[in-house]
Amino acid sequence: MGIHNFFTRFNDLERIIRAPGKFKYEEHNVAAHSWKVSMYAMFFATLEENNGATIDWKSLYEKTINHDFAEVFIGDIKTPVKHASPELKQMLSHVEEKMMERFIMEQIPEEFQDVFFHRMKEGKDNTTEGLLLELADKLDQFYESFTELKRGNTEPEFIVMYQTALRKLLSLPLPVSVNYFKDVMLKDAITEDTVIDLKTLTQHVLNELE
Amino acid sequence: MGIHNFFTRFNDLERIIRAPGKFKYEEHNVAAHSWKVSMYAMFFATLEENNGATIDWKSLYEKTINHDFAEVFIGDIKTPVKHASPELKQMLSHVEEKMMERFIMEQIPEEFQDVFFHRMKEGKDNTTEGLLLELADKLDQFYESFTELKRGNTEPEFIVMYQTALRKLLSLPLPVSVNYFKDVMLKDAITEDTVIDLKTLTQHVLNELE
Amino acid sequence: MGIHNFFTRFNDLERIIRAPGKFKYEEHNVAAHSWKVSMYAMFFATLEENNGATIDWKSLYEKTINHDFAEVFIGDIKTPVKHASPELKQMLSHVEEKMMERFIMEQIPEEFQDVFFHRMKEGKDNTTEGLLLELADKLDQFYESFTELKRGNTEPEFIVMYQTALRKLLSLPLPVSVNYFKDVMLKDAITEDTVIDLKTLTQHVLNELE
Amino acid sequence: MGIHNFFTRFNDLERIIRAPGKFKYEEHNVAAHSWKVSMYAMFFATLEENNGATIDWKSLYEKTINHDFAEVFIGDIKTPVKHASPELKQMLSHVEEKMMERFIMEQIPEEFQDVFFHRMKEGKDNTTEGLLLELADKLDQFYESFTELKRGNTEPEFIVMYQTALRKLLSLPLPVSVNYFKDVMLKDAITEDTVIDLKTLTQHVLNELE
Amino acid sequence: MGIHNFFTRFNDLERIIRAPGKFKYEEHNVAAHSWKVSMYAMFFATLEENNGATIDWKSLYEKTINHDFAEVFIGDIKTPVKHASPELKQMLSHVEEKMMERFIMEQIPEEFQDVFFHRMKEGKDNTTEGLLLELADKLDQFYESFTELKRGNTEPEFIVMYQTALRKLLSLPLPVSVNYFKDVMLKDAITEDTVIDLKTLTQHVLNELE
Amino acid sequence: MGIHNFFTRFNDLERIIRAPGKFKYEEHNVAAHSWKVSMYAMFFATLEENNGATIDWKSLYEKTINHDFAEVFIGDIKTPVKHASPELKQMLSHVEEKMMERFIMEQIPEEFQDVFFHRMKEGKDNTTEGLLLELADKLDQFYESFTELKRGNTEPEFIVMYQTALRKLLSLPLPVSVNYFKDVMLKDAITEDTVIDLKTLTQHVLNELE
């Protein structure tokens, strides 16, 4: 037990591949995903702050870098399962939480247990920081599927993933960020040359939401 | 829906990696594992038949080739989780079963649904064939961990996996097969040159069981 | 020598890649291929039985799971070579057979040698089971090339492989299975979105055969 | 230009492999490295705060998640080169800085340029946060080489990397963190079973520094 | 030091990947690149000789097989950087040269140092052999980008790489080779089926140069 | 047909893996192998020339860079097969030769056919250059197996490969090169730290040959 043991677990997240079992041109691991989510959140929190929001930066970054640590225990199985079964998604969240608790009790020295319990709990609450985490996490799903479709990946799963991510992104109660994404970034994205027609897939979602 | 769709799912099992998230020198996918399990079972069923047992060969082979098909739905998450949580293991089995049922109802033409329900149900029952499946499945876990330890993989997970597989193998109520494994094959196995001392790890388990 | 040694050779088939030397988006190993062939055969044998054929299921499954074991000795070199040289194909079959014989004589305990000689001999004879093996083996070639072409693999080799597999499949003397494949499954297959135009490639072969 | 373009560059860091050209059992990319550095820093900053230091958490996390972004422009070439040539290291830092500047001027909308200049500048200054970044970055070098040596990687480069990282770590002017690392974590690390004798390699460095 | 040590460095070039950090369907290492460059040069030197040129074959082959050995020291960073910064390119050349010199002084036995200095120096001079090296090196850049674009790689970097290589190739003062490439080989190349429209990309460059 | 088509085949050799089907820590492709063989030959030819031999450098380099081109047609199957079957080795050489001939007749413009026939024929004759090719080719087999054994690869195949390569190397009728290898380079090689005891494996071969 101890911090050395905790640190060696980080390496496990480099071996957990997102969307396992689906054909993809490029694999992404959970460690790299966590970094990208932190980078996206950094930008949108800046944008929100520039527009008058108050950001708890410490909380924001701790939410983003820790948000998938619990995948050490059961792996990245939620994405392919969640469309099929909300019950399983919930059961798995529960199990992750229990395993996280046991890990902290058994592995983390007592003096640090409180701060670990606080940091490792589910971060997607209704605070601005929780919403920014949700936005950034969905944005990475958007980019992962965007990039596969751009290169001609014909797995139907990626069309579902793309449109689902887009729909969730555009519905989040963070109007400044969502509008910037929709009016500026999404416009840039769909002017790229792509093998699969992303302009149409995107327009369908935009039409639905109007 | 239809058989074409069913067949294209086989490819998914080639991308599901066993023991995900753990460092290993060589990865194994679930499709190749299913083939190896069928090969092991073929041998032990022959041995049992030579010693007087009656084998339902059709049932045996269908159990082995189908036994992990349901991993298409949630991936290979059981191995790293089962030591930590029997409840999760059970919940996941339940979910797999439900997803399998739904898959058959939605994807398989009605005329074939009965035979699919029969073939895709959990195969590890108390028949000789069910026990041979259990033996063959554990034997592959034995060989996967044996090979990693032989090459010097120092992850403690593989020592646990090796000794757990060995303990289960040696306790199965198939005396002819178990004795052949213990008295002939295991002896050959532990005379190999290995980086990690497998002779001692093996002897510990043998001593425990005496 | 002995069964332990035989079992460790299975791992070699996980490292033998089909269609070596050709660019592909996804690699397939011979172990996983053997499993997929067993799965396809299971379905078509069921279909044949439902339509009045008598299936020797033990023989069928042993043919499918063993049919490429001899590639342990010389690797998967037949596919790229066979278009170029039928003599080499025959020479290699002969060598494989000799190496298989020697392997059995040297490695397999005497009490099991007869059953090994029987199981490991070439399975593609004119029995229903031999034809179903041929069908299933060609079907995997069909699916491997279908999937590469679908994703935009422009290597001419895969167009040749696709049309060759299709031609052979449709010419096999198993009318119930062949018609089901042609009238039901192939129709589903060519309605998929693909980067390379598979509808036309398929129609050419269908026209030829009429 | 624009934020969409900035975000798509994150993916490049997932393809830049650390210590390129050296044999290793496991590769690490710069994106995943940046995440691990953030995790290490989170822990040591907590430890420092518990012992009376004042931490600027926003600055700390921005330093860690941004510290290798400039590798997008020239790749991870510093590690193998730095032992050989401090001049090159300096030239490359200079070039990275210039390319970073140009990137911001050309790609980032004007309203965000100031904050980008501030965040993307070299983070390893003499503030507590700068020192914690240095500690966390060296710690990842420690863990990368530790893990290779543990598994028996005999490349001399990794022994150099291990001892260099250890020497730097133990010399940093952050006594609370350094002592915790040395007295608690390093003790745990060197009790692990390893193929290469890490206890002796570690002891040499400890003796030197006394 | 010594020739054994020199020989073990060749292996490093098998791990240095060309165009690092960019998405590609297929990776190429520097060792394999050096072989392909030697093959291209062999052909064009034959063509030049058939048309009256005098070829110093020993010099030609030593230029081609040695031309990227210095990448052992700093890796393949020039391609992505050169469009952005000619100064860096020059600095890196200088550093490579210095590291090459030091390597020869420290690692190569004295009796062989002179011949090593001669062989390892920059080969792209104005001799026919130097120009053939330049042609062959650019031709490999042409083929690497051609193949990625053919398969639908939408990274703008590869369009730049393709057109840059083509422009340089067509401007080299080796009229016999350049005309053969342009009038015979390029014609064959652009009749291939490709996902991205290479005919148009090629025509743009041809029009520019007329 | 044509030179463009010939050049695109080089890429195939980057995908043909040496010693297919055997576990190895690091794979080597035939293109990179051909480059390394050219580098080894360059050194030993220099050594021979310094000691009075006359070298036909053009012939030497053409032998080394072309020596495995024919593997494009059937892949790298000789190594694992040759210990088992000299007849197969011969049959395969014959087939390679026939396929090479057909390739030249069908693909290479008539004006270049003679020079291609000359360059692509088997290079391992009894000239000094043919012997240097044999030496360099075996040396790469020596280094490939040396490196695997050094890292702890316990596959018996690599011990066989190491000792076979060493035996052949030391028996070649090139006394200057062989003595330099034995007295200088091999001494350096066996002082390296290795997981498997290479000193003893090497001494056995040296003792045999005395």
Side-chain angles (χ1 to χ4, degrees), chain E residues 4 10-11 14-15 26 28 34-36 39 46 57-58 61-62 65 119 143 192, chain F residues 4 10-11 14-15 26 28 35-36 39 46 57-58 61-62 65-66 119 143 192:
Chain E
H4 166 66
F10 299 170
N11 195 192
E14 294 181 271
R15 298 187 207 101
E26 188 168 35
H28 303 279
S34 296
W35 174 74
K36 289 184 289 180
M39 294 294 281
T46 302
W57 290 93
K58 177 174 190 289
Y61 291 127
E62 293 182 358
I65 63 177
R119 279 176 185 156
Y143 273 116
E192 288 202 24
Chain F
H4 167 65
F10 300 169
N11 195 192
E14 294 180 270
R15 299 188 206 99
E26 186 168 37
H28 303 279
W35 174 74
K36 288 184 289 180
M39 293 294 280
T46 303
W57 291 94
K58 177 173 190 289
Y61 291 126
E62 294 183 358
I65 64 177
N66 290 316
R119 279 177 186 155
Y143 273 116
E192 287 201 24

Short mmCIF file of all heavy atoms in Angstrom, two decimals, chain E residues 4 10-11 14-15 26 28 34-36 39 46 57-58 61-62 65 119 143 192, chain F residues 4 10-11 14-15 26 28 35-36 39 46 57-58 61-62 65-66 119 143 192:
data_model
loop_
_atom_site.label_atom_id
_atom_site.label_comp_id
_atom_site.label_asym_id
_atom_site.label_seq_id
_atom_site.Cartn_x
_atom_site.Cartn_y
_atom_site.Cartn_z
N HIS E 4 31.32 -3.67 -32.73
CA HIS E 4 30.11 -4.29 -32.17
C HIS E 4 29.13 -3.21 -31.72
O HIS E 4 27.93 -3.28 -32.01
CB HIS E 4 30.49 -5.20 -30.99
CG HIS E 4 29.32 -5.61 -30.16
ND1 HIS E 4 28.31 -6.42 -30.63
CD2 HIS E 4 28.98 -5.30 -28.87
CE1 HIS E 4 27.41 -6.60 -29.67
NE2 HIS E 4 27.79 -5.95 -28.62
N PHE E 10 22.47 0.18 -35.39
CA PHE E 10 21.61 0.06 -36.59
C PHE E 10 20.16 -0.21 -36.17
O PHE E 10 19.22 0.28 -36.78
CB PHE E 10 22.07 -1.07 -37.49
CG PHE E 10 23.46 -0.92 -38.02
CD1 PHE E 10 24.08 -1.97 -38.69
CD2 PHE E 10 24.17 0.26 -37.88
CE1 PHE E 10 25.37 -1.85 -39.19
CE2 PHE E 10 25.47 0.40 -38.37
CZ PHE E 10 26.06 -0.66 -39.03
N ASN E 11 20.04 -1.01 -35.13
CA ASN E 11 18.72 -1.38 -34.61
C ASN E 11 17.91 -0.14 -34.20
O ASN E 11 16.69 -0.09 -34.38
CB ASN E 11 18.95 -2.29 -33.40
CG ASN E 11 17.72 -3.06 -32.95
OD1 ASN E 11 17.71 -3.65 -31.87
ND2 ASN E 11 16.66 -3.08 -33.75
N GLU E 14 15.71 1.28 -36.79
CA GLU E 14 14.45 0.56 -37.04
C GLU E 14 13.32 1.10 -36.15
O GLU E 14 12.16 0.78 -36.37
CB GLU E 14 14.63 -0.93 -36.75
CG GLU E 14 15.57 -1.62 -37.69
CD GLU E 14 15.69 -3.09 -37.36
OE1 GLU E 14 16.57 -3.42 -36.53
OE2 GLU E 14 14.91 -3.90 -37.89
N ARG E 15 13.67 1.83 -35.11
CA ARG E 15 12.64 2.36 -34.19
C ARG E 15 12.38 3.84 -34.40
O ARG E 15 11.52 4.41 -33.72
CB ARG E 15 13.09 2.14 -32.75
CG ARG E 15 13.27 0.70 -32.39
CD ARG E 15 13.56 0.56 -30.91
NE ARG E 15 14.33 -0.63 -30.68
CZ ARG E 15 15.65 -0.63 -30.48
NH1 ARG E 15 16.33 0.50 -30.45
NH2 ARG E 15 16.28 -1.77 -30.29
N GLU E 26 0.17 3.90 -42.26
CA GLU E 26 1.29 2.96 -42.20
C GLU E 26 2.55 3.73 -41.82
O GLU E 26 2.83 4.77 -42.40
CB GLU E 26 1.48 2.32 -43.59
CG GLU E 26 2.50 1.21 -43.58
CD GLU E 26 2.46 0.39 -44.88
OE1 GLU E 26 2.20 0.96 -45.95
OE2 GLU E 26 2.68 -0.83 -44.80
N HIS E 28 6.70 4.13 -41.39
CA HIS E 28 7.94 3.74 -42.06
C HIS E 28 9.11 4.06 -41.16
O HIS E 28 9.16 5.17 -40.61
CB HIS E 28 8.10 4.51 -43.38
CG HIS E 28 6.95 4.33 -44.30
ND1 HIS E 28 6.82 3.22 -45.11
CD2 HIS E 28 5.84 5.08 -44.52
CE1 HIS E 28 5.68 3.32 -45.79
NE2 HIS E 28 5.07 4.43 -45.47
N SER E 34 16.09 3.82 -45.84
CA SER E 34 17.43 3.85 -46.42
C SER E 34 17.58 2.77 -47.48
O SER E 34 18.24 2.97 -48.50
CB SER E 34 18.48 3.64 -45.31
OG SER E 34 18.43 4.71 -44.40
N TRP E 35 16.95 1.63 -47.23
CA TRP E 35 16.99 0.56 -48.23
C TRP E 35 16.22 0.97 -49.50
O TRP E 35 16.72 0.80 -50.62
CB TRP E 35 16.41 -0.74 -47.65
CG TRP E 35 16.31 -1.81 -48.69
CD1 TRP E 35 17.34 -2.54 -49.23
CD2 TRP E 35 15.12 -2.26 -49.35
NE1 TRP E 35 16.86 -3.40 -50.17
CE2 TRP E 35 15.51 -3.26 -50.26
CE3 TRP E 35 13.76 -1.91 -49.24
CZ2 TRP E 35 14.58 -3.91 -51.08
CZ3 TRP E 35 12.84 -2.56 -50.04
CH2 TRP E 35 13.25 -3.55 -50.95
N LYS E 36 15.04 1.54 -49.33
CA LYS E 36 14.25 1.93 -50.50
C LYS E 36 14.99 3.01 -51.32
O LYS E 36 14.99 2.96 -52.56
CB LYS E 36 12.86 2.43 -50.07
CG LYS E 36 11.96 1.30 -49.59
CD LYS E 36 10.55 1.79 -49.26
CE LYS E 36 10.56 2.63 -48.01
NZ LYS E 36 9.23 3.14 -47.62
N MET E 39 17.47 1.38 -53.48
CA MET E 39 16.83 0.71 -54.62
C MET E 39 16.45 1.70 -55.71
O MET E 39 16.65 1.45 -56.90
CB MET E 39 15.58 -0.05 -54.14
CG MET E 39 15.84 -1.22 -53.23
SD MET E 39 16.75 -2.62 -54.00
CE MET E 39 15.42 -3.44 -54.91
N THR E 46 21.30 3.45 -63.28
CA THR E 46 21.34 2.59 -64.47
C THR E 46 20.82 3.34 -65.70
O THR E 46 21.41 3.32 -66.78
CB THR E 46 20.49 1.33 -64.23
OG1 THR E 46 20.99 0.66 -63.07
CG2 THR E 46 20.52 0.39 -65.42
N TRP E 57 29.76 3.96 -58.78
CA TRP E 57 28.77 3.12 -58.09
C TRP E 57 29.07 2.95 -56.61
O TRP E 57 28.18 2.92 -55.78
CB TRP E 57 28.67 1.75 -58.78
CG TRP E 57 28.05 1.83 -60.14
CD1 TRP E 57 28.70 1.97 -61.32
CD2 TRP E 57 26.65 1.83 -60.42
NE1 TRP E 57 27.79 2.04 -62.35
CE2 TRP E 57 26.51 1.94 -61.83
CE3 TRP E 57 25.48 1.73 -59.65
CZ2 TRP E 57 25.28 1.95 -62.48
CZ3 TRP E 57 24.25 1.73 -60.29
CH2 TRP E 57 24.15 1.86 -61.69
N LYS E 58 30.34 2.79 -56.29
CA LYS E 58 30.71 2.65 -54.87
C LYS E 58 30.25 3.88 -54.10
O LYS E 58 29.59 3.78 -53.07
CB LYS E 58 32.23 2.49 -54.76
CG LYS E 58 32.75 2.40 -53.34
CD LYS E 58 34.25 2.08 -53.33
CE LYS E 58 34.76 1.76 -51.94
NZ LYS E 58 34.84 2.89 -51.05
N TYR E 61 26.24 4.04 -53.79
CA TYR E 61 25.60 3.17 -52.79
C TYR E 61 26.00 3.57 -51.37
O TYR E 61 25.20 3.47 -50.45
CB TYR E 61 25.94 1.70 -53.07
CG TYR E 61 25.29 1.18 -54.33
CD1 TYR E 61 26.03 0.57 -55.34
CD2 TYR E 61 23.92 1.31 -54.53
CE1 TYR E 61 25.43 0.09 -56.50
CE2 TYR E 61 23.31 0.84 -55.69
CZ TYR E 61 24.07 0.23 -56.67
OH TYR E 61 23.46 -0.24 -57.81
N GLU E 62 27.23 4.03 -51.19
CA GLU E 62 27.61 4.44 -49.83
C GLU E 62 26.87 5.70 -49.41
O GLU E 62 26.49 5.86 -48.26
CB GLU E 62 29.14 4.60 -49.74
CG GLU E 62 29.77 3.21 -49.89
CD GLU E 62 31.27 3.14 -49.77
OE1 GLU E 62 31.91 4.19 -49.58
OE2 GLU E 62 31.81 2.02 -49.87
N ILE E 65 23.10 4.29 -48.59
CA ILE E 65 22.88 3.51 -47.36
C ILE E 65 23.27 4.27 -46.10
O ILE E 65 22.72 4.02 -45.04
CB ILE E 65 23.52 2.09 -47.39
CG1 ILE E 65 25.03 2.13 -47.52
CG2 ILE E 65 22.91 1.23 -48.49
CD1 ILE E 65 25.67 0.73 -47.47
N ARG E 119 32.69 8.54 -45.26
CA ARG E 119 31.38 7.96 -45.62
C ARG E 119 30.20 8.64 -44.94
O ARG E 119 29.10 8.65 -45.48
CB ARG E 119 31.36 6.48 -45.24
CG ARG E 119 32.04 5.60 -46.24
CD ARG E 119 32.07 4.18 -45.78
NE ARG E 119 32.84 3.38 -46.70
CZ ARG E 119 33.43 2.23 -46.38
NH1 ARG E 119 33.34 1.75 -45.16
NH2 ARG E 119 34.11 1.56 -47.30
N TYR E 143 6.56 8.81 -52.53
CA TYR E 143 5.80 7.56 -52.38
C TYR E 143 5.10 7.46 -51.03
O TYR E 143 3.99 6.94 -50.94
CB TYR E 143 6.68 6.34 -52.64
CG TYR E 143 6.72 5.97 -54.10
CD1 TYR E 143 7.89 6.03 -54.84
CD2 TYR E 143 5.55 5.60 -54.77
CE1 TYR E 143 7.91 5.73 -56.20
CE2 TYR E 143 5.56 5.29 -56.13
CZ TYR E 143 6.73 5.36 -56.84
OH TYR E 143 6.73 5.07 -58.16
N GLU E 192 -3.81 5.28 -61.05
CA GLU E 192 -4.32 4.40 -59.98
C GLU E 192 -5.62 4.95 -59.39
O GLU E 192 -5.83 6.16 -59.36
CB GLU E 192 -3.29 4.29 -58.84
CG GLU E 192 -2.07 3.48 -59.20
CD GLU E 192 -1.36 2.96 -57.95
OE1 GLU E 192 -2.00 2.83 -56.89
OE2 GLU E 192 -0.16 2.67 -58.06
N HIS F 4 7.17 2.15 -62.00
CA HIS F 4 6.30 2.59 -60.89
C HIS F 4 5.78 1.38 -60.13
O HIS F 4 5.80 1.35 -58.89
CB HIS F 4 5.14 3.42 -61.43
CG HIS F 4 4.05 3.65 -60.44
ND1 HIS F 4 4.22 4.38 -59.29
CD2 HIS F 4 2.75 3.20 -60.40
CE1 HIS F 4 3.09 4.40 -58.59
NE2 HIS F 4 2.19 3.70 -59.24
N PHE F 10 8.34 -2.36 -53.14
CA PHE F 10 9.32 -2.24 -52.03
C PHE F 10 8.59 -2.15 -50.70
O PHE F 10 9.04 -2.69 -49.69
CB PHE F 10 10.19 -0.98 -52.20
CG PHE F 10 10.99 -0.93 -53.45
CD1 PHE F 10 11.63 0.25 -53.84
CD2 PHE F 10 11.13 -2.04 -54.28
CE1 PHE F 10 12.40 0.32 -54.99
CE2 PHE F 10 11.89 -1.97 -55.45
CZ PHE F 10 12.51 -0.80 -55.80
N ASN F 11 7.47 -1.45 -50.73
CA ASN F 11 6.66 -1.28 -49.53
C ASN F 11 6.23 -2.63 -48.94
O ASN F 11 6.14 -2.79 -47.72
CB ASN F 11 5.42 -0.45 -49.93
CG ASN F 11 4.65 0.15 -48.77
OD1 ASN F 11 3.55 0.63 -48.93
ND2 ASN F 11 5.21 0.10 -47.56
N GLU F 14 8.46 -4.05 -46.35
CA GLU F 14 8.36 -3.45 -45.01
C GLU F 14 7.32 -4.17 -44.15
O GLU F 14 7.26 -3.96 -42.95
CB GLU F 14 7.95 -1.98 -45.12
CG GLU F 14 8.99 -1.09 -45.77
CD GLU F 14 8.53 0.34 -45.84
OE1 GLU F 14 7.88 0.70 -46.85
OE2 GLU F 14 8.78 1.10 -44.88
N ARG F 15 6.46 -4.95 -44.79
CA ARG F 15 5.41 -5.66 -44.03
C ARG F 15 5.71 -7.13 -43.83
O ARG F 15 4.93 -7.83 -43.19
CB ARG F 15 4.08 -5.53 -44.75
CG ARG F 15 3.61 -4.10 -44.90
CD ARG F 15 2.21 -4.06 -45.44
NE ARG F 15 2.01 -2.80 -46.14
CZ ARG F 15 2.08 -2.68 -47.47
NH1 ARG F 15 2.30 -3.73 -48.24
NH2 ARG F 15 1.89 -1.51 -48.02
N GLU F 26 10.87 -7.82 -30.29
CA GLU F 26 10.94 -6.77 -31.31
C GLU F 26 10.92 -7.42 -32.69
O GLU F 26 11.65 -8.38 -32.94
CB GLU F 26 12.26 -6.00 -31.13
CG GLU F 26 12.36 -4.81 -32.05
CD GLU F 26 13.51 -3.87 -31.68
OE1 GLU F 26 14.57 -4.36 -31.26
OE2 GLU F 26 13.33 -2.64 -31.79
N HIS F 28 11.39 -7.44 -36.87
CA HIS F 28 12.25 -6.85 -37.88
C HIS F 28 11.66 -7.13 -39.24
O HIS F 28 11.25 -8.26 -39.52
CB HIS F 28 13.65 -7.48 -37.82
CG HIS F 28 14.29 -7.34 -36.49
ND1 HIS F 28 14.93 -6.19 -36.09
CD2 HIS F 28 14.35 -8.19 -35.42
CE1 HIS F 28 15.38 -6.34 -34.86
NE2 HIS F 28 15.05 -7.54 -34.43
N TRP F 35 18.90 -3.36 -45.37
CA TRP F 35 19.76 -2.22 -45.11
C TRP F 35 20.88 -2.60 -44.14
O TRP F 35 22.06 -2.28 -44.36
CB TRP F 35 18.94 -1.04 -44.56
CG TRP F 35 19.80 0.10 -44.14
CD1 TRP F 35 20.45 0.97 -44.97
CD2 TRP F 35 20.16 0.47 -42.80
NE1 TRP F 35 21.18 1.87 -44.22
CE2 TRP F 35 21.02 1.59 -42.89
CE3 TRP F 35 19.82 -0.04 -41.54
CZ2 TRP F 35 21.55 2.21 -41.77
CZ3 TRP F 35 20.34 0.57 -40.42
CH2 TRP F 35 21.20 1.68 -40.53
N LYS F 36 20.52 -3.29 -43.06
CA LYS F 36 21.55 -3.67 -42.08
C LYS F 36 22.61 -4.57 -42.71
O LYS F 36 23.81 -4.42 -42.44
CB LYS F 36 20.90 -4.34 -40.86
CG LYS F 36 20.13 -3.37 -39.97
CD LYS F 36 19.57 -4.04 -38.72
CE LYS F 36 18.43 -4.97 -39.07
NZ LYS F 36 17.85 -5.64 -37.90
N MET F 39 25.04 -2.53 -44.51
CA MET F 39 25.95 -1.83 -43.59
C MET F 39 27.04 -2.77 -43.07
O MET F 39 28.22 -2.40 -43.00
CB MET F 39 25.16 -1.24 -42.42
CG MET F 39 24.21 -0.13 -42.77
SD MET F 39 25.02 1.40 -43.36
CE MET F 39 25.54 2.15 -41.80
N THR F 46 35.60 -3.35 -46.32
CA THR F 46 36.67 -2.40 -46.03
C THR F 46 37.83 -3.11 -45.33
O THR F 46 39.01 -2.93 -45.68
CB THR F 46 36.12 -1.26 -45.14
OG1 THR F 46 35.03 -0.65 -45.81
CG2 THR F 46 37.19 -0.22 -44.83
N TRP F 57 33.03 -3.35 -55.55
CA TRP F 57 32.06 -2.69 -54.67
C TRP F 57 30.66 -2.62 -55.27
O TRP F 57 29.67 -2.74 -54.56
CB TRP F 57 32.55 -1.28 -54.32
CG TRP F 57 33.75 -1.30 -53.43
CD1 TRP F 57 35.06 -1.26 -53.81
CD2 TRP F 57 33.75 -1.42 -52.00
NE1 TRP F 57 35.88 -1.32 -52.71
CE2 TRP F 57 35.10 -1.42 -51.58
CE3 TRP F 57 32.75 -1.52 -51.02
CZ2 TRP F 57 35.48 -1.50 -50.24
CZ3 TRP F 57 33.12 -1.60 -49.70
CH2 TRP F 57 34.46 -1.60 -49.31
N LYS F 58 30.58 -2.35 -56.56
CA LYS F 58 29.26 -2.29 -57.21
C LYS F 58 28.54 -3.62 -57.02
O LYS F 58 27.38 -3.67 -56.59
CB LYS F 58 29.44 -1.97 -58.69
CG LYS F 58 28.15 -1.95 -59.49
CD LYS F 58 28.43 -1.45 -60.92
CE LYS F 58 27.15 -1.19 -61.71
NZ LYS F 58 26.41 -2.39 -62.08
N TYR F 61 27.42 -4.23 -53.18
CA TYR F 61 26.24 -3.51 -52.71
C TYR F 61 24.98 -3.98 -53.44
O TYR F 61 23.91 -4.04 -52.86
CB TYR F 61 26.44 -2.00 -52.86
CG TYR F 61 27.48 -1.44 -51.91
CD1 TYR F 61 28.54 -0.68 -52.37
CD2 TYR F 61 27.40 -1.68 -50.54
CE1 TYR F 61 29.50 -0.16 -51.50
CE2 TYR F 61 28.36 -1.17 -49.66
CZ TYR F 61 29.40 -0.42 -50.14
OH TYR F 61 30.32 0.08 -49.27
N GLU F 62 25.11 -4.32 -54.71
CA GLU F 62 23.91 -4.80 -55.41
C GLU F 62 23.48 -6.16 -54.88
O GLU F 62 22.29 -6.45 -54.78
CB GLU F 62 24.15 -4.80 -56.93
CG GLU F 62 24.31 -3.35 -57.40
CD GLU F 62 24.48 -3.15 -58.89
OE1 GLU F 62 24.52 -4.15 -59.63
OE2 GLU F 62 24.57 -1.96 -59.30
N ILE F 65 21.76 -5.25 -51.28
CA ILE F 65 20.45 -4.58 -51.26
C ILE F 65 19.38 -5.39 -51.98
O ILE F 65 18.20 -5.30 -51.64
CB ILE F 65 20.47 -3.11 -51.76
CG1 ILE F 65 20.87 -2.96 -53.20
CG2 ILE F 65 21.32 -2.23 -50.86
CD1 ILE F 65 20.83 -1.50 -53.70
N ASN F 66 19.78 -6.23 -52.94
CA ASN F 66 18.78 -7.02 -53.67
C ASN F 66 18.53 -8.42 -53.11
O ASN F 66 17.62 -9.10 -53.56
CB ASN F 66 19.24 -7.22 -55.13
CG ASN F 66 19.17 -5.93 -55.93
OD1 ASN F 66 18.19 -5.19 -55.84
ND2 ASN F 66 20.21 -5.64 -56.69
N ARG F 119 20.94 -8.74 -61.68
CA ARG F 119 20.98 -8.27 -60.29
C ARG F 119 20.15 -9.12 -59.35
O ARG F 119 20.46 -9.19 -58.16
CB ARG F 119 20.44 -6.84 -60.22
CG ARG F 119 21.47 -5.80 -60.61
CD ARG F 119 20.87 -4.41 -60.58
NE ARG F 119 21.84 -3.45 -61.09
CZ ARG F 119 21.53 -2.29 -61.63
NH1 ARG F 119 20.25 -1.93 -61.75
NH2 ARG F 119 22.46 -1.49 -62.07
N TYR F 143 22.68 -11.12 -34.74
CA TYR F 143 22.26 -9.98 -33.92
C TYR F 143 20.79 -10.07 -33.52
O TYR F 143 20.42 -9.69 -32.42
CB TYR F 143 22.56 -8.65 -34.61
CG TYR F 143 23.96 -8.17 -34.30
CD1 TYR F 143 24.92 -8.04 -35.29
CD2 TYR F 143 24.32 -7.86 -32.99
CE1 TYR F 143 26.20 -7.61 -34.98
CE2 TYR F 143 25.60 -7.42 -32.69
CZ TYR F 143 26.54 -7.31 -33.68
OH TYR F 143 27.80 -6.89 -33.37
N GLU F 192 28.48 -8.02 -22.54
CA GLU F 192 27.26 -7.28 -22.19
C GLU F 192 26.47 -8.01 -21.09
O GLU F 192 26.52 -9.24 -20.99
CB GLU F 192 26.35 -7.16 -23.42
CG GLU F 192 26.86 -6.17 -24.45
CD GLU F 192 25.74 -5.71 -25.37
OE1 GLU F 192 24.55 -5.77 -24.99
OE2 GLU F 192 26.06 -5.28 -26.50
#
